[in-house]
């Protein structure tokens, strides 16, 4: 175990948090605090049009209301600033230069939308494996296309299977060439892509433990490849179960599933919400009002469920004070 565990919560402020986001923040906080570690708050606002600063400020107020404090990051700042990804373009540019010197970056002029490249990919999202067509362009073709199109940048991947052991989900393997394909590291509009940004930031912030949703499990092989190329040491990964709506959908900000704004209107404090989530994920035998601090003495990862969790129908039909 490292001398100091450094966990993190890295939300995208594209909308108000829902209970799935809260559960992720809670488990990340409990894991780090139970080991005497520190918590970093990183704001993943790579796309500033989707993530205005006001949303990030509101997110901080919501975390404080939940009782989930942090040691550095966000508006608090700290030794590893900047903590807003929108302010890190020069840092990502330096990492890109390292990859370019290895001859692994090439321009991509494909016309399909790349607007979501700066967003974390999810297992339930359809993903087209890129066939590498722009890797085969000649220098003359690149020069001609560049006159009318600003290219995105892709990273060449080898025909290699990368395996790792996730502390929650167990063993996982993925062949980069066959199951992923060359992936974007910078969009055509100059915004750096999620995969590169998250690796660079976790490394420079000294993050040793990443707790996040199971829908991001398939991102790890790509990130481990980047860790190797950039000479960084990867963290320990824990991919937690997803919270699903009663119809089986993943909770999402886009659908405003039980967003924290509406929940806060019904609650004088966060204890009922924390207790309901702790029960759903396996930390409490029965739902009861509780604070994150009160969960610490009994927290252990062996108690946390591994499979996805459907929230009860009553969460959509009754106020949160009646969830217990």
């Amino acid at each position: 175990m490292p001398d100091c565990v450094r966990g993190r919560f890295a939300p995208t402020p594209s909308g108000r948090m829902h209970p799935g986001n809260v559960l992720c923040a809670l488990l990340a906080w409990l894991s780090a605090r139970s080991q005497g570690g520190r918590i970093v708050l990183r704001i993943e606002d790579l796309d500033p049009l989707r993530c205005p600063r006001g949303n990030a400020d509101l997110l901080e107020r919501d975390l404080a209301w939940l009782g989930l404090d942090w040691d550095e990051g966000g508006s608090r700042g700290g030794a590893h600033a900047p903590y807003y990804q929108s302010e890190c373009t020069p840092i990502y540019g330096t990492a890109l230069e390292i990859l370019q010197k290895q001859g692994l970056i090439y321009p991509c002029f494909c016309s399909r939308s790349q607007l979501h490249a700066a967003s974390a990919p999810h297992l339930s999202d359809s993903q087209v494996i890129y066939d590498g067509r722009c890797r085969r362009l000649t220098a003359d073709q690149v020069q001609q296309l560049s006159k009318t199109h600003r290219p995105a940048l892709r990273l060449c991947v080898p025909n290699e299977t990368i395996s790792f052991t996730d502390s929650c989900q167990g063993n996982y393997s993925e062949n980069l060439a066959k199951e992923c394909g060359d992936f974007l590291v910078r969009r055509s509009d100059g915004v750096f892509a999620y995969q590169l940004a998250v690796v660079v930031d976790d490394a420079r912030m000294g993050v040793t433990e990443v707790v996040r949703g199971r829908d991001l499990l398939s991102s790890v092989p790509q990130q481990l490849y980047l860790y190797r190329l950039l000479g960084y040491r990867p963290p320990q990964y824990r991919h937690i179960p997803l919270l699903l709506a009663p119809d089986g959908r993943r909770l999402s900000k886009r659908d405003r599933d039980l967003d924290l704004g509406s929940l806060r209107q019904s609650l004088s404090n966060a204890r009922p919400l924390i207790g309901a989530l702790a029960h759903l994920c396996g930390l409490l035998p029965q739902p009861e009002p509780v604070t994150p601090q009160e969960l610490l003495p009994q927290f252990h990862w062996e108690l946390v469920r591994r499979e996805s969790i459907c929230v009860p129908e009553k969460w959509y039909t009754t106020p949160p004070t009646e969830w217990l």
Side-chain angles (χ1 to χ4, degrees):
M1 181 179 294
D3 293 336
C4 180
V5 171
R6 288 178 61 84
R8 50 87 150 169
F9 182 46
T12 299
S14 57
R16 207 71 180 264
M17 286 193 291
H18 55 65
N21 304 133
V22 176
L23 177 61
C24 185
L26 174 64
L27 290 177
W29 187 92
L30 287 170
S31 183
R33 293 296 191 228
S34 68
Q35 300 174 78
R38 294 174 63 82
I39 290 287
V40 176
L41 174 62
R42 182 171 71 241
I43 305 300
E44 297 200 335
D45 57 346
L46 279 167
D47 190 335
L49 294 178
R50 294 177 55 243
C51 306
R53 184 58 60 93
N55 282 6
D57 296 339
L58 179 57
L59 189 148
E60 289 196 11
R61 294 196 293 271
D62 283 342
L63 288 174
W65 180 79
L66 290 163
L68 300 173
D69 63 341
W70 61 96
D71 301 290
E72 61 185 86
S75 61
R76 180 173 297 177
H80 301 87
Y83 294 93
Y84 296 85
Q85 289 188 329
S86 59
E87 299 174 359
C88 296
T89 298
I91 297 172
Y92 305 144
T94 299
L96 178 62
E97 290 176 2
I98 295 173
L99 300 174
Q100 288 173 322
K101 289 178 180 178
Q102 297 177 58
L104 296 173
I105 300 295
Y106 66 90
C108 176
F109 299 91
C110 293
S111 60
R112 76 173 183 274
S113 173
Q114 297 164 342
L115 292 177
H116 300 297
S119 302
H122 301 282
L123 279 177
S124 59
D125 297 338
S126 58
Q127 179 177 342
V128 177
I129 299 174
Y130 185 63
D131 62 6
R133 67 187 66 183
C134 286
R135 194 203 291 199
R136 298 185 289 272
L137 293 174
T138 66
D140 287 342
Q141 289 173 318
V142 169
Q143 183 178 20
Q144 288 300 315
L145 287 168
S146 297
K147 293 178 180 179
T148 56
H149 297 82
R150 182 176 181 180
L153 298 179
R154 287 189 183 270
L155 177 68
C156 297
V157 301
N159 184 9
E160 174 187 345
T161 297
I162 291 184
S163 303
F164 74 102
T165 300
D166 183 80
S167 296
C168 284
Q169 302 298 327
N171 296 330
Y172 183 85
S173 298
E174 183 177 289
N175 183 283
L176 292 177
K178 298 176 182 177
E179 299 176 74
C180 167
D182 298 343
F183 57 89
L184 291 173
V185 291
R186 196 180 72 187
R187 294 189 332 196
S188 59
D189 61 2
V191 174
F192 281 91
Y194 169 81
Q195 303 290 21
L196 179 64
V198 72
V199 166
V200 171
D201 286 336
D202 280 342
R204 71 182 181 84
M205 294 177 184
V207 172
T208 64
E209 179 181 83
V210 170
V211 177
R212 60 189 182 187
R214 183 183 171 275
D215 50 342
L216 292 172
L217 183 65
S218 62
S219 295
V220 177
Q222 298 166 58
Q223 292 170 18
L224 291 178
Y225 179 51
L226 281 167
Y227 272 104
R228 187 173 75 198
L229 295 176
L230 295 171
Y232 301 149
R233 182 177 179 177
Q236 178 185 32
Y237 289 100
R238 298 184 185 273
H239 287 82
I240 64 171
L242 300 180
L243 286 192
L244 306 178
D247 61 5
R249 291 180 301 105
R250 178 177 86 237
L251 297 188
S252 74
K253 296 174 186 173
R254 185 184 310 131
D255 296 328
R256 296 182 60 84
D257 277 302
L258 301 168
D259 75 83
L260 202 54
S262 61
L263 295 180
R264 287 189 62 173
Q265 291 178 3
S266 303
L267 292 168
S268 58
N269 61 68
R271 296 177 75 245
L273 175 59
I274 296 296
L277 289 172
H279 170 64
L280 279 186
C281 76
L283 294 180
L284 290 178
Q286 298 295 329
E288 61 183 78
V290 68
T291 66
Q293 194 70 35
E294 290 168 341
L295 287 171
L296 270 177
Q298 64 217 60
F299 175 76
H300 198 287
W301 276 109
E302 290 183 358
L303 298 174
V304 178
R305 294 174 59 175
R306 302 297 192 260
E307 68 278 6
S308 295
I309 304 167
C310 275
V311 301
E313 181 70 40
K314 68 179 180 179
W315 282 31
Y316 283 81
T317 58
T318 63
T321 51
E322 299 180 20
W323 294 357
L324 303 180

